[in-house]
Amino acid sequence: MARPIKTGTDYFPLDVELDIKMDFVESRYGNDGFSTIIKLWQKIYAENGYYCKWDNDIAVLFAFKKANNIDIDKLDGIIKLALEKELFDKNIYEKYGVLTSAGIQKRYLLITERRKKVVINGDYLLIDIPTNSINVDINFINVDINSKNVDINTQSKVKESKGKESKVNKIKEKNIEPAARKPIRHKYGAYNNVLLNDEELEKLKAEFPNDWKERIEKVSEYCASTGKAYKNYLATIRNWAKRDKQKCEKSASVAKSKFNNYTDTNKTNYEEIEKKLYDNMLGEY
């Protein structure tokens, strides 16, 4: 029977100077905020290595067993602030009920680089897996990436059970390119709801060099006020710009048409005025 694959880790690195995101948590919740985040990291690295499930039941047990029986409302506030400041990825949490981040995943791969096999759920993946991952001792031969999981193996072994005629498949080493992953999109706008990857942002800056920020804010405010979301925000901004241009051109055309077709409906009869003035002058004499 094959030995179960170890997922968690026995340690994780902790920087001397932590990210400013932690300062926000500590400034609002003090030592409770600081210790809670550290204990959450411990839970993540110990259990699955790069994520942990999170819901109300898990929160209650965590508060009682791991966080010195911290008030559950305070714990909820710390989690919400950590998601807001991107200590954990908000999109992954809202979609899957999972706490993770790109930084956690990068550190996890560094910690486990000597392992023969590392399995990562592709649904939670926030980083790019190197196509030629090689560590000190082992060459990573097979790298398979799909929507379900990511397997990093040293080699592919296939064994068939012994029958009347024993057959042993030779170990085959193949270099397999990972399937193309969508570029990571970052949050922009006052409400952090306009999603653009780096390439899309550069295109936006090139097309609208003078007001690209204002165009992002316009979409951000609209989505926040209506609850709408778009599959492609660059395409949305372009479409809005095209629509605005058409409106301007239409308004200019209407104004020009009114000017060309203008007729003075209050025409002045200068001959009549001149005659009346002349008659008045004669009357004075």
Side-chain angles (χ1 to χ4, degrees), residues 5-258:
I5 298 173
K6 183 176 181 179
T7 55
T9 65
D10 298 324
Y11 75 96
F12 70 93
L14 186 63
D15 296 335
V16 175
E17 287 290 337
L18 296 179
D19 195 287
I20 191 173
K21 301 170 186 177
M22 279 289 287
D23 292 338
F24 286 108
V25 176
E26 193 172 6
S27 65
R28 185 177 300 182
Y29 293 100
N31 290 334
D32 284 342
F34 179 84
S35 62
T36 297
I37 297 299
I38 298 298
K39 288 180 181 296
L40 279 170
W41 285 342
Q42 289 178 328
K43 177 179 176 64
I44 288 170
Y45 285 107
E47 289 183 1
N48 299 300
Y50 62 97
Y51 78 93
C52 73
K53 288 284 188 178
W54 192 258
D55 56 28
N56 291 334
D57 291 339
I58 295 174
V60 169
L61 293 176
F62 177 85
F64 175 69
K65 298 178 65 176
K66 300 291 186 180
N68 298 323
N69 209 20
I70 188 174
D71 180 76
I72 194 67
D73 290 332
K74 179 181 282 191
L75 174 60
D76 185 58
I78 293 171
I79 294 296
K80 287 181 178 178
L81 182 59
L83 290 167
E84 178 186 334
K85 297 304 179 183
E86 299 182 350
L87 278 166
F88 303 113
D89 189 271
K90 190 174 183 179
N91 289 333
I92 296 295
Y93 172 72
E94 291 178 346
K95 191 171 183 180
Y96 301 106
V98 162
L99 296 179
T100 188
S101 71
I104 290 172
Q105 293 179 12
K106 288 178 182 178
R107 286 187 288 272
Y108 175 67
L109 289 182
L110 287 174
I111 294 169
T112 60
E113 64 181 355
R114 291 177 180 268
R115 291 186 185 177
K116 292 182 178 181
K117 185 176 182 179
V118 176
V119 180
I120 298 180
N121 188 324
D123 289 333
Y124 310 155
L125 196 60
L126 294 169
I127 61 175
D128 294 321
I129 303 296
T131 59
N132 58 341
S133 298
I134 298 176
N135 61 33
V136 177
D137 297 328
I138 304 168
N139 290 333
F140 286 72
I141 303 301
N142 294 333
V143 180
D144 298 331
I145 300 180
N146 52 47
S147 61
K148 294 300 180 183
N149 55 52
V150 179
D151 289 340
I152 304 177
N153 303 301
T154 57
Q155 57 190 2
S156 175
K157 296 183 179 182
V158 181
K159 294 184 179 180
E160 294 182 357
S161 60
K162 294 182 179 180
K164 292 182 180 179
E165 296 181 0
S166 298
K167 295 181 180 180
V168 179
N169 292 333
K170 294 182 179 179
I171 297 173
K172 296 181 179 180
E173 296 183 351
K174 297 178 181 179
N175 292 323
I176 302 176
E177 292 294 332
R181 294 183 65 247
K182 292 182 179 180
I184 296 175
R185 297 197 295 176
H186 307 285
K187 302 172 186 175
Y188 296 95
Y191 299 93
N192 290 322
N193 53 0
V194 178
L195 305 178
L196 298 166
N197 61 44
D198 293 338
E199 183 180 355
E200 289 172 335
L201 182 63
E202 292 305 316
K203 287 181 179 179
L204 184 65
K205 291 180 179 179
E207 293 177 28
F208 308 101
N210 298 323
D211 62 349
W212 62 272
K213 289 183 179 180
E214 289 77 3
R215 293 182 182 276
I216 288 177
E217 292 302 332
K218 185 177 179 181
V219 175
S220 180
E221 290 177 6
Y222 177 78
C223 291
S225 63
T226 62
K228 288 188 176 181
Y230 296 94
K231 291 183 178 180
N232 189 316
Y233 285 88
L234 176 60
T236 299
I237 293 173
R238 285 172 171 168
N239 186 45
W240 284 22
K242 183 179 179 181
R243 184 182 62 188
D244 292 344
K245 183 179 179 182
Q246 290 173 345
K247 285 183 179 179
C248 290
E249 291 175 348
K250 185 177 180 180
S251 298
S253 177
V254 171
K256 183 178 180 182
S257 176
K258 287 182 178 179

